[in-house]
Amino acid sequence: MSRPVTVVVVNSLSYTGTTWLNLVLGSHPRTFTIGPPDRVYNLLKQQTIDQPVDACRVHGPECEFWQGFCDRYQATENYFIQLAEYAKRDVLVINNPIPNGAGLELEHPSIVLKPIQFIRDGRAVAASYRRKHPNESFFDGVKNWLTPPLHAFPFDKDDPDTLCLRYEDVLMNQLAAVEEVGQFIGVEYGSDALRFWEQPHHITAGNAGTIMMIKLTQ
């Protein structure tokens, strides 16, 4: 591409609203949402892809976008740069890349990283976890699953290079929050981005209920 590729990296815990944020940020003519980037990345690292590429959570194995990209992918070139070129977008939105996986390809002179730390009240996160794991006690879920990563999660609102967002603040004024993200990544969002289900998406993983809104519409 003639200009650098901006990669927005959303770092978060599970059950934080990350899928919704990804899809909203991907609802702009300049942006493309991947979601977790390692699903496709791992497929590409296989010797051969001899079956339909089951990467898209919206369209499944019939997704022409991911099949087309995988057919054109060159192992000697940067994963994210190639994806931006194929999607004809200059901003990619991903979340929680594996450091020794797709995260390795983020270090590239033509990639501008825009990290976002996205956090939610631990009580709500624990409640969501409990609903998905009814056989585990609430106490054990908080102690063993939530507390260790939450205590280690970096969240410094004074860091000029990272945008820190709280889920509850975003929901209070969604348009203002999206506009704030837009200023941080250099994209001018409007209220239409909040209607993410009206836009084409090929997200690779995420909350099934949020993704179902796209399926039902499209």
Side-chain angles (χ1 to χ4, degrees), residues 59-116:
H59 306 98
E62 293 76 31
C63 180
E64 296 181 357
F65 177 88
W66 284 118
Q67 186 66 59
F69 173 70
C70 290
D71 289 344
R72 291 165 176 77
Y73 173 77
Q74 298 293 320
T76 57
E77 302 296 329
N78 183 272
Y79 170 53
F80 294 106
I81 299 296
Q82 291 184 77
L83 183 54
E85 291 176 344
Y86 182 72
K88 297 182 173 58
R89 312 291 172 90
D90 67 314
V91 180
L92 302 178
V93 183
I94 69 174
N95 70 275
N96 300 315
I98 297 175
N100 62 349
L104 294 173
E105 307 240 351
L106 292 172
E107 297 184 9
H108 189 279
S110 294
I111 290 179
V112 177
L113 290 180
K114 290 291 184 178
I116 296 177

Side-chain angles (χ1 to χ4, degrees), residues 20 167-179 194:
W20 175 85
Y167 173 86
E168 292 77 16
D169 295 337
V170 171
L171 288 192
M172 284 288 291
N173 194 331
Q174 297 177 29
L175 181 56
V178 171
E179 290 175 343
L194 299 176

Side-chain angles (χ1 to χ4, degrees), residues 34-215:
I34 307 171
D38 287 273
R39 184 184 185 91
V40 176
Y41 185 76
N42 290 336
L43 286 173
L44 293 170
K45 294 307 175 183
Q46 297 175 5
Q47 288 291 331
T48 59
I49 301 177
D50 55 2
Q51 56 187 359
V53 178
D54 188 12
C56 182
R57 296 302 85 190
V58 177
H59 306 98
E62 293 76 31
C63 180
E64 296 181 357
F65 177 88
W66 284 118
Q67 186 66 59
F69 173 70
C70 290
D71 289 344
R72 291 165 176 77
Y73 173 77
Q74 298 293 320
T76 57
E77 302 296 329
N78 183 272
Y79 170 53
F80 294 106
I81 299 296
Q82 291 184 77
L83 183 54
E85 291 176 344
Y86 182 72
K88 297 182 173 58
R89 312 291 172 90
D90 67 314
V91 180
L92 302 178
V93 183
I94 69 174
N95 70 275
N96 300 315
I98 297 175
N100 62 349
L104 294 173
E105 307 240 351
L106 292 172
E107 297 184 9
H108 189 279
S110 294
I111 290 179
V112 177
L113 290 180
K114 290 291 184 178
I116 296 177
Q117 302 298 108
F118 194 41
I119 200 167
R120 186 181 183 186
D121 189 309
R123 294 167 294 184
V125 175
S128 293
Y129 178 83
R130 170 69 171 145
R131 286 195 295 272
K132 294 294 180 68
H133 301 83
N135 295 326
E136 184 174 351
S137 74
F138 189 85
F139 177 80
D140 287 342
V142 171
K143 178 184 176 183
N144 301 324
W145 177 80
L146 175 63
T147 301
L150 189 60
H151 280 179
F153 192 79
F155 195 84
D156 182 5
K157 293 185 73 68
D158 294 325
D159 183 350
D161 298 321
T162 302
L163 180 62
C164 293
L165 298 174
R166 294 184 183 275
Y167 173 86
E168 292 77 16
D169 295 337
V170 171
L171 288 192
M172 284 288 291
N173 194 331
Q174 297 177 29
L175 181 56
V178 171
E179 290 175 343
E180 180 183 6
V181 175
Q183 292 177 357
F184 177 66
I185 68 176
V187 174
E188 187 174 348
Y189 285 101
S191 60
D192 55 330
L194 299 176
R195 301 189 300 276
F196 66 86
W197 55 88
E198 297 177 352
Q199 310 302 323
H201 291 288
H202 303 280
I203 193 167
T204 62
N207 181 276
T210 307
I211 295 172
M212 182 58 70
M213 294 179 65
I214 306 173
K215 291 184 177 182

